[in-house]
Amino acid sequence: MFENFAQRKKDEERMRAEGRLPPGQSLTNKFPVLHYGPVPSFDPTTWTFRAWGEVEQPLTLTWEQFNQLPRQRVRMDLHCVTRWSKFDTEWEGVSVRTLLEQGLLRLLPTARFVLQHAEFGYTTNIPLEVALAENFLLATHHNGQPLTPDHGYPLRGVVGAIPGRTDLKTPYLWKGAKWLRGLEFLQTDRLGFWEEAGYHNNADVWAEERMRF
Ligand SMILES: Nc1nc2c(c(=O)[nH]1)N[C@H]1C(S)=C(S)[C@@H](COP(=O)(O)O)O[C@H]1N2
Ligand SMILES: [Mo]
């Protein structure tokens, strides 16, 4: 028990020294599960992924179609607003950029924000710039395995820090919706579930933008 604690503190100090531990965060080697409400069930025959709003044509993909899209791998540090950070996590999934490059989606020039829509009406909003960045993924796999139900199976938004990439905005982890079902492209920003409840809209982990008040 004490050894684990000592090792964790050592790892944490290393991350701090490498400039990877944001203020007010501590390192965890676990993968905590955090969400509001129940875990939804998944039916591959009725599941769809949709994109709509400021796009030339709304898009609907079945699970089978979504699975045929090219996937990227990204290694990221995750930072939860409840103060845990998990380092070097491996994600695999489809980038929003890929949807554009494959011609599946064409954005209108008016598209500036993206609202992620998940099961049971959970939403979270990000600027388009974040949605198109390398540190935001529509993830199907974690550490080489399909997501577990608790962590968002079959699809989740995930956002984190790519070490060394100080050019990328890094929001807290709540800005990635588990059990993701669609993306709504918006001209003007619309607050998501936790943002509506008082979480900071910008949510920059380095600026400790946790709460709005
Ligand atoms: N659909 C949905 N996604 C969600 C949430 C939620 O309540 N519902 N909570 C968010 C919050 S607050 C966090 S910290 C992360 C936690 O992801 P994890 O459970 O995989 O660690 O999921 C985010 N995505
Ligand atoms: Mo959270």
Side-chain angles (χ1 to χ4, degrees):
M1 194 62 192
F2 178 72
E3 261 170 83
N4 285 341
F5 178 78
Q7 186 58 50
R8 188 169 67 75
K9 283 293 157 191
K10 228 179 113 196
D11 293 344
E12 189 174 283
E13 280 321 305
R14 186 163 59 85
M15 289 304 157
R16 196 192 307 279
E18 289 180 13
R20 290 166 64 183
L21 188 71
Q25 296 295 111
S26 50
L27 176 145
T28 182
N29 290 314
K30 301 187 197 117
F31 192 1
V33 171
L34 261 132
H35 54 259
Y36 179 81
V39 174
S41 59
F42 168 60
D43 180 349
T45 63
T46 57
W47 186 95
T48 54
F49 175 81
R50 299 199 307 127
W52 71 98
E54 303 295 308
V55 296
E56 281 185 15
Q57 274 212 343
L59 170 73
T60 303
L61 297 173
T62 63
W63 177 237
E64 199 188 329
Q65 290 168 328
F66 195 91
N67 260 297
Q68 280 155 15
L69 298 172
R71 297 201 292 256
Q72 320 283 318
R73 282 193 193 162
V74 187
R75 175 190 287 244
M76 294 193 285
D77 299 341
L78 305 183
H79 305 298
C80 177
V81 70
T82 63
R83 298 182 182 276
W84 55 265
S85 292
K86 187 171 174 64
F87 294 87
D88 294 315
T89 65
E90 302 259 0
W91 298 91
E92 189 179 317
V94 177
S95 73
V96 179
R97 232 171 242 288
T98 295
L99 297 177
L100 301 178
E101 283 164 7
Q102 298 273 312
L104 289 166
L105 205 56
R106 281 190 196 83
L107 300 183
L108 296 177
T110 43
R112 289 185 51 217
F113 298 92
V114 181
L115 190 63
Q116 300 165 59
H117 287 264
E119 301 284 357
F120 305 132
Y122 183 87
T123 52
T124 186
N125 58 309
I126 49 176
L128 180 63
E129 169 201 353
V130 172
L132 296 179
E134 283 149 81
N135 60 333
F136 179 78
L137 204 59
L138 309 173
T140 53
H141 292 70
H142 169 63
N143 288 342
Q145 299 294 321
L147 301 175
T148 60
D150 276 357
H151 289 295
Y153 181 78
L155 182 70
R156 74 175 296 169
V158 66
V159 66
I162 300 177
R165 292 292 304 272
T166 47
D167 57 313
L168 301 175
K169 277 194 179 187
T170 304
Y172 288 109
L173 183 58
W174 89 75
K175 294 274 191 187
K178 302 196 280 188
W179 313 297
L180 184 68
R181 294 292 304 274
L183 300 177
E184 182 178 4
F185 291 85
L186 298 167
Q187 189 164 356
T188 51
D189 205 4
R190 197 188 306 154
L191 298 182
F193 179 83
W194 289 114
E195 292 84 0
E196 188 78 47
Y199 282 35
H200 201 291
N201 192 26
N202 198 45
D204 184 309
V205 301
W206 300 104
E208 273 206 272
E209 292 173 336
R210 297 173 193 274
M211 302 291 148
R212 235 179 315 132
F213 315 108

